[in-house]
Amino acid sequence: CAQSAESQYSVYIGAGAAIWSSGYSDRNVAVGYHAMEDISQGDDNVGLGYYVMNDLTTGINNCALGSNAGETLTTGSNNILL
C-alpha cells in the first residue's frame, strides 16, 4: 500500500500504484500495476486494473475498470471508464 503523507482515507495497492502521488487526494481506491500513479489532488476516485487512470491528477468522482481504462484522463470528473 502506498499513500502520500497528506492523503486521507485512500488505499493504493499494486506495484507503482500512486507512486508519484502528492498533495491532498482523499477517499481514492486504486488497485493494479501503476494505477493512479500521478494522483495529486483528486478525490473520490475508484480504479481497478493495469495502468488504470495513471495520468489522473485532479479529477473527482471517477470510476474506471479494466486494463488502461482512463489512462490519459488528467482532470476530468464524474466519468465512468471501461
Side-chain angles (χ1 to χ4, degrees):
C1 265
Q3 187 165 332
S4 72
E6 297 87 9
S7 183
Q8 297 185 51
Y9 314 112
S10 294
V11 176
Y12 305 113
I13 300 172
I19 194 167
W20 305 116
S21 68
S22 63
Y24 297 91
S25 55
D26 300 328
R27 300 171 306 278
N28 294 304
V29 176
V31 178
Y33 182 80
H34 284 270
M36 272 190 239
E37 68 180 2
D38 292 330
I39 192 72
S40 61
Q41 294 185 14
D43 298 328
D44 305 305
N45 297 291
V46 176
L48 303 170
Y50 175 86
Y51 273 102
V52 67
M53 291 192 287
N54 71 312
D55 287 339
L56 186 68
T57 56
T58 58
I60 297 170
N61 295 324
N62 295 295
C63 182
L65 175 63
S67 182
N68 297 347
E71 180 180 13
T72 58
L73 181 69
T74 58
T75 59
S77 295
N78 303 309
N79 293 291
I80 297 174
L81 308 150
L82 301 173

